[in-house]
Amino acid sequence: MAKLLWRSLAWPDTRCAAPIYTHPAGISMQAKQPHSQVLTTTTAGRGRPTCLASSLAIQHREIDRARRDDPVAMELLPLLTALLLAHALACLAWTAAARRRQSRCYLLDYVCHKPRDGRKISTETAGDVVQRNKRLSLSDYRFLLRVIVRSGIGEETYAPRSIIEGREDAPTLRDALDEMDAFFDEAIAELFARTGFEPRDVDVLVFNVSMLSPAPSLASRIVRRYGLREDVAAYNLTGMGCSAGLVALDLARNALRTRPRAVALVVSSESIAPNWYSGTDKSMMLANCLFRSGGAAVLLTNDPAHRGRAKMELSCLVRAHIGANDDAHACALQREDAEGRVGISLSKALPKAAVRAFAVNLRRLAPRVLPVSELARFAARLLSRRLLPHLQSSGKKAGGDAPRIDFKTGVDHFCLHPGGTAVIEAVKKSLGLDDDDVEPARMTLHRWGNTSASSLWYVLSYMEAKGRLKVGDRVLMVTFGSGFKCNSCVWEVTGDMADKGAWADCIDSYPPERLANPYMDKFGWINDVEGDTLML
């Protein structure tokens, strides 16, 4: 029966030969083809005969004969075909759904590190650190004073013990490892305790720190300290700058996609101890005024079974890297000064590079997070501005100022990198935000300073401690880093977020009524000294 059907449906011979089929009785036969049924046509006027119509007629007769000989089989054939097709479609749908579930990334919890009080940098301690540097001239002191006053940093940020103890000029590897160990021992342990997961539940480990790369790696140090499994996929990122937090998040998400129902531990920090600059190059002295000790440990999963206990779900993540441009690549650079002292140089080209990288990132981010209505409104205003330039030249500006996308139509909260007052203000202006939108970043800079890759998690923790994050809210994270990079991601709140975390003991005092910097009261006398020589 099947052979008969196959031969009857076979493509006809181009030479008009009568098709050969097999009779149900097993006798091979050749269909007779009366001359009266052969329809001859011409192709492109060449008079070449074809037998398509005749062959189709023969096929229909053979199918009718098969129906008469075995009617039950022919009735079941469409049903069998439908069942096979339905099964194939169901398998495809199940596979697609499984891959989609596996590609999801849930934030189970996170912990921001709060160093011991003995490591706080008060106004007096900061003054002692500055005055210990005998290489500084009066103009250098005045420069540092202006930077510190404008930095937006308060009196309760933290530094490594080597700086508190006056050994910033000659740090050791032990100092750097002690700074990391203090973070590992407290933050990661607290994260496991809060989530109920064990270290051996971790399938993926991603650790990032820019300015420290010992051997074995710090990722291996975490594996050993907490006894992670032998098959854990451990990654150690260095040199990625302040944007490394989202780079590590992206790496963890991609690693989870290849492992069903897995758990990832992402750890972000920065090593301050061996990277304190003690020279006199002003472009390299800026880092001392901004960067402070800190760190964050984050637990992620792609297991749908844990969605109910997750705090947030990652919606999208966008990365932009403009390092092909020479100025952008060198605007934040580790180098030696004229005396051979190593430090991080921040050039005047940094703001321009940040704006360019930010624009590149937003062009890719906007279509993913904004509603169609907002995109259409922006496109309409942009077209009207370009097509009707005479309205602007006559003083009737079409739409007022230059068209700007309103990110508030797709985002509820803005978690911005607290890289400094200038960085926060630049992002505020670019996105058209108000003071309430950038308050979390400003307060994080004041309380913790710039803790590099982990800063975003302190900003998020401020929002959570203030009780501003509700189920369904969307949070935009934006960070910048050397290279030059701008990375962003959007989270959707899916669970209860009411923990005060590292802000527990001070959240009620934020925001303060005024952010007057106490450094001016303590060291304003420097501006009254005449000349360029300072006797200490």
Side-chain angles (χ1 to χ4, degrees):
M1 179 65 193
K3 187 179 296 185
L4 171 62
L5 183 62
W6 169 252
R7 287 185 174 273
S8 66
L9 294 178
W11 187 256
D13 194 320
T14 57
R15 295 172 301 180
C16 299
I20 298 176
Y21 64 93
T22 302
H23 191 273
I27 304 174
S28 296
M29 302 177 62
Q30 183 172 14
K32 293 184 180 181
Q33 190 168 310
H35 178 73
S36 59
Q37 294 181 352
V38 178
L39 301 179
T40 304
T41 62
T42 60
T43 303
R46 297 179 182 179
R48 179 181 299 175
T50 60
C51 315
L52 179 60
S54 177
S55 299
L56 289 176
I58 295 173
Q59 291 170 5
H60 283 301
R61 287 201 304 272
E62 299 304 327
I63 293 175
D64 290 338
R65 179 177 296 179
R67 286 199 183 101
R68 291 194 300 269
D69 294 341
D70 196 353
V72 177
M74 290 304 296
E75 292 296 332
L76 291 177
L77 183 60
L79 178 60
L80 180 61
T81 302
L83 290 176
L84 291 175
L85 181 60
H87 181 268
L89 292 176
C91 289
L92 290 175
W94 183 88
T95 302
R99 289 181 177 179
R100 181 175 177 81
R101 288 194 302 268
Q102 191 169 319
S103 65
R104 294 185 181 276
C105 182
Y106 303 102
L107 171 67
L108 293 173
D109 210 341
Y110 65 100
V111 170
C112 296
H113 178 47
K114 180 185 177 184
R116 302 298 175 87
D117 289 344
R119 293 171 54 184
K120 282 186 177 180
I121 294 285
S122 63
T123 304
E124 184 175 354
T125 304
D128 293 340
V129 174
V130 172
Q131 293 179 27
R132 283 200 297 260
N133 190 349
K134 305 302 181 183
R135 305 177 187 87
L136 300 180
S137 65
L138 180 59
S139 62
D140 295 329
Y141 278 106
R142 285 173 173 165
F143 171 77
L144 280 174
L145 176 63
R146 288 196 301 269
V147 173
I148 293 175
V149 169
R150 299 172 183 173
S151 66
I153 293 181
E155 288 198 272
E156 295 191 342
T157 58
Y158 301 89
R161 293 196 178 277
S162 59
I163 296 176
I164 301 295
E165 297 170 0
R167 294 184 288 105
E168 67 274 6
D169 231 357
T172 65
L173 178 61
R174 184 73 261 169
D175 292 328
L177 294 178
D178 286 345
E179 183 183 10
M180 292 294 102
D181 287 342
F183 164 52
F184 295 162
D185 292 343
E186 298 176 10
I188 298 179
E190 181 181 350
L191 180 63
F192 285 133
R194 289 176 57 173
T195 59
F197 282 84
E198 299 293 333
R200 296 188 67 82
D201 295 329
V202 175
D203 302 283
V204 178
L205 168 64
V206 182
F207 175 77
N208 68 268
V209 61
S210 289
M211 306 302 296
L212 181 62
S213 183
S217 68
L218 292 171
S220 296
R221 199 174 185 86
I222 296 175
V223 172
R224 177 180 178 273
R225 183 171 295 270
Y226 284 94
L228 272 60
R229 299 197 316 264
E230 293 81 358
D231 62 343
V232 66
Y235 303 90
N236 197 98
L237 303 179
T238 59
M240 302 298 287
C242 299
S243 64
L246 295 190
V247 176
L249 176 63
D250 190 27
L251 177 58
R253 179 187 63 167
N254 291 334
L256 288 176
R257 285 175 175 173
T258 65
R259 297 166 174 82
R261 295 178 174 79
V263 175
L265 172 63
V266 178
V267 184
S268 301
S269 186
E270 190 52 272
S271 178
I272 307 298
N275 297 291
W276 189 269
Y277 178 67
S278 300
T280 59
D281 189 317
K282 289 183 172 60
S283 69
M284 303 170 73
M285 294 162 62
L286 295 173
N288 292 352
C289 303
L290 292 174
F291 289 99
R292 295 293 185 265
S293 295
V298 181
L299 204 62
L300 308 169
T301 185
N302 62 349
D303 189 349
H306 295 311
R307 187 183 188 280
R309 59 183 299 186
K311 288 188 172 184
M312 297 193 298
E313 180 181 351
L314 184 63
S315 298
C316 68
L317 191 151
V318 176
R319 295 168 58 179
H321 198 310
I322 60 172
N325 180 274
D326 291 340
D327 291 338
H329 178 76
C331 67
L333 183 70
Q334 184 182 27
R335 64 175 179 85
E336 294 179 339
D337 64 10
E339 299 177 353
R341 298 182 181 277
V342 179
I344 298 295
S345 174
L346 305 177
S347 74
K348 295 181 179 180
L350 194 150
K352 183 178 179 180
V355 170
R356 181 183 173 190
F358 192 37
V360 172
N361 188 284
L362 291 185
R363 280 199 296 268
R364 297 173 53 201
L365 177 68
R368 302 187 183 189
V369 301
L370 297 181
V372 176
S373 58
E374 175 59 21
L375 296 175
R377 183 197 65 82
F378 173 77
R381 291 193 61 188
L382 185 62
L383 287 174
S384 64
R385 187 180 182 87
R386 292 183 176 179
L387 297 177
L388 304 174
H390 62 281
L391 294 180
Q392 300 175 30
S393 61
S394 63
K396 300 178 181 179
K397 293 187 177 181
D401 297 332
R404 174 183 293 169
I405 292 180
D406 184 7
F407 271 85
K408 292 185 179 182
T409 59
V411 175
D412 301 293
H413 307 279
F414 296 86
C415 186
L416 309 178
H417 173 56
T421 301
V423 174
I424 296 173
E425 290 301 317
V427 177
K428 174 187 174 184
K429 182 178 180 181
S430 297
L431 294 179
L433 306 180
D434 53 36
D435 289 340
D436 291 338
D437 296 322
V438 299
E439 175 193 311
R442 284 176 174 169
M443 298 305 104
T444 298
L445 181 64
H446 182 269
R447 174 62 180 87
W448 307 95
N450 182 352
T451 61
S452 189
S454 63
S455 293
L456 285 177
W457 299 105
Y458 287 92
V459 180
L460 182 67
S461 181
Y462 179 88
M463 297 178 184
E464 182 175 5
K466 282 292 186 180
R468 298 178 180 177
L469 303 178
K470 308 300 182 182
V471 174
D473 285 356
R474 306 184 80 189
V475 182
L476 170 64
M477 286 185 169
V478 179
T479 186
F480 303 91
S482 59
F484 193 85
K485 301 181 289 295
C486 175
N487 300 326
S488 64
C489 71
V490 175
W491 295 91
E492 181 179 347
V493 179
T494 59
D496 179 51
M497 297 192 70
D499 294 332
K500 295 185 177 182
W503 291 87
D505 63 342
C506 62
I507 190 62
D508 293 335
S509 62
Y510 277 91
E513 294 182 0
R514 53 193 297 267
L515 294 175
N517 196 301
Y519 287 87
M520 182 59 75
D521 298 334
K522 293 273 186 179
F523 302 103
W525 55 268
I526 293 180
N527 291 326
D528 299 328
V529 178
E530 297 182 358
D532 292 328
T533 303
L534 180 64
M535 301 298 295
L536 297 177

